[in-house]
Structures are given as structure tokens and as C-alpha cells.
Amino acid sequence: MTRDKALVVFSGGQDSTTCLFWALEHFREVHTITFTYGQKHGIEVEAARKIADMAGVDFHLTDISGIASIGRNSLTDSSMAMDQEKPENAVPNTFVPGRNLFFLSIAAVYARENGIYDMIAGVSQTDFSGYPDCRDSFIRSLNVTLNLAMDAQFVIHTPLMWMDKARTWALADRLGVFELVRDETVTCYNGVKGEGCGHCPACHLRNEGLRKYSEHREVILKSLEDMEL
Ligand code: ZN
């Protein structure tokens, strides 16, 4: 079993793009898997394809849009108004129930088929908007489940788990892809590339992180050195 190949669960957003370049620093051969799950904006997939191309890595697109028909959320349902803030005692309606569970489970099957046992997911508990499937406990639990399900020794890497957005910008900078992440990724819930629409919750988080990073660049870069990456 080789541990020099890795599969990145890749959306073309800031976090998974940073993870892609982190993976290129740590693994000899990097693959990506991108999912269409009924999201309103095809621009995300096009951004992912372009970035994979720029990084010179394999790009695999998988359609699981069936999940949009069984759970309602404002990222796939045009008739729903998007929550601008996290409601009290609930997840925002931008939450796609089961998304990371489906993504990582399908990614694991694809990885195993290709002799890959290291997977990378750009989830973060720090800036997680209340999404339960971005938590460390969920990822660890799923890792065990996947190993039992396929009698394999997968390792799910989550380099951003304990980072806020400012540190994620710092990591992209350290990896030499700050401009690429700033200009080519799509994080915005309204599907606007780069700096985004500026007013959706995803833009707010991203732009706030960028502002903080720009103001305290040296300090934040230094703080990255203390993290085990
Ligand atoms: Zn936006």
C-alpha cells in the first residue's frame, strides 16, 4: 500500500484549493474529486476544473445531484431565501444535510479504486458556521467507519481544521498561491468568482479573514509556524 498518493475533495473554493496546494507539498501524486450536487452555480465546477488544470493534477467530476431532491437547502433550492446569519439553535439553511458524509464516502470508494488511501478535506471547525459535518469529531468518526466499511487504512487529512480564515489565507501565501486563491476560487454563495458578491455569509467570512490577514500578515504567518502542518 502506497502512502505517496492523495485525493483532495475539491470544490474550487478557497479552502479546498489551499488544501490542494498543501497536498502537492506533501504527496508525490495528487488527484482531485469534485461533486455536482445540484448547486445553483456551474461557475464553481468550472473554477475547480481550471484550478486543477493550473495545478497539473487529475480532475474527476462526479454527479450526486440526487441529494438535492431529498433534502432542502438554500444552496440548491432557488425558491428559498438564504439565511444571512446563523439562526439561534439551528444550522443556517445553506447547510446541505449529509454533504460531507456523501462526499467523503464516495471519494473513499474512488480513492480505493485508484490505490489511494490518503484523502484531504478542507473542513474547519473554527469557522464552521455551525455545520456539524465540518467538526473534527465527525471526520474522525467517519474515518473509522470508512476503514471498517472497506477493510482499508484510510487517513483523512484536514489541514485547516483548527485554522480561522485569516490563517487559511496565510497558508495559501506560504504555499505561494495567494493570488491564485484570491482570483480564481469561488467561495461566494451567489457564485461570484474571486472577491465575490460581498454580502453573502461566505463572502463575509472570506473577506473578513482577508482583511485580518492583510493587517497582521507577519504575525499570522509566524503563528502558522507553530502549527503542525
Ligand atoms: Zn457572496
Side-chain angles (χ1 to χ4, degrees):
M1 187 175 72
T2 169
R3 297 235 82 113
D4 61 357
K5 297 204 272 184
L7 178 66
V8 180
V9 177
F10 185 52
S11 70
Q14 177 191 357
D15 295 343
S16 63
T17 300
T18 304
C19 283
L20 168 59
F21 286 91
W22 177 87
L24 283 165
E25 202 180 63
H26 289 81
F27 296 90
R28 184 183 55 83
E29 189 180 315
V30 175
H31 298 248
T32 60
I33 184 164
T34 298
F35 296 98
T36 50
Y37 55 94
Q39 56 277 61
K40 293 173 199 164
H41 311 291
I43 185 176
E44 294 165 6
V45 173
E46 285 325 301
R49 193 192 302 277
K50 184 178 172 193
I51 294 164
D53 217 45
M54 291 167 90
V57 299
D58 177 56
F59 176 79
H60 184 80
L61 189 63
T62 299
D63 181 7
I64 54 164
S65 47
I67 70 166
S69 68
I70 53 172
R72 290 192 77 214
N73 70 84
S74 64
L75 292 192
T76 58
D77 187 339
S78 306
S79 69
M80 275 170 91
M82 192 187 300
D83 281 340
Q84 293 301 313
E85 280 168 27
K86 185 182 178 311
E88 215 177 314
N89 303 321
V91 291
N93 65 10
T94 47
F95 176 58
V96 181
R99 179 168 54 179
N100 284 338
L101 175 66
F102 294 132
F103 282 8
L104 281 159
S105 301
I106 293 164
V109 175
Y110 178 75
R112 187 177 173 280
E113 279 303 304
N114 288 279
I116 302 171
Y117 294 93
D118 289 83
M119 297 193 291
I120 293 135
V123 292
S124 169
Q125 176 152 342
T126 309
D127 272 344
F128 76 128
S129 313
Y131 296 169
D133 58 353
C134 290
R135 290 183 194 139
D136 193 50
S137 55
F138 162 72
I139 297 292
R140 286 171 188 265
S141 160
L142 181 61
N143 201 148
V144 172
T145 298
L146 292 174
N147 289 353
L148 291 171
M150 283 179 260
D151 198 14
Q153 294 296 318
F154 291 108
V155 177
I156 304 176
H157 303 266
T158 53
L160 310 183
M161 184 59 78
W162 308 109
M163 284 192 197
D164 61 9
K165 277 281 184 285
R167 272 199 176 137
T168 304
W169 281 111
L171 179 59
D173 205 358
R174 202 200 75 189
L175 293 165
V177 289
F178 178 83
E179 275 93 13
L180 184 151
V181 170
R182 188 192 58 197
D183 300 339
E184 300 294 341
T185 62
V186 180
T187 307
C188 174
Y189 288 150
N190 290 311
V192 181
K193 190 164 148 175
E195 67 181 321
C197 72
H199 53 76
C200 76
C203 279
H204 183 73
L205 203 58
R206 170 178 166 136
N207 294 339
E208 190 56 28
L210 184 56
R211 189 192 55 75
K212 188 174 156 199
Y213 178 58
S214 308
E215 279 172 22
H216 309 282
R217 185 167 180 270
E218 297 308 321
V219 180
I220 297 171
L221 271 176
K222 185 99 188 64
S223 77
L224 259 196
E225 290 170 17
D226 302 329
M227 298 184 88
E228 225 177 279
L229 284 167

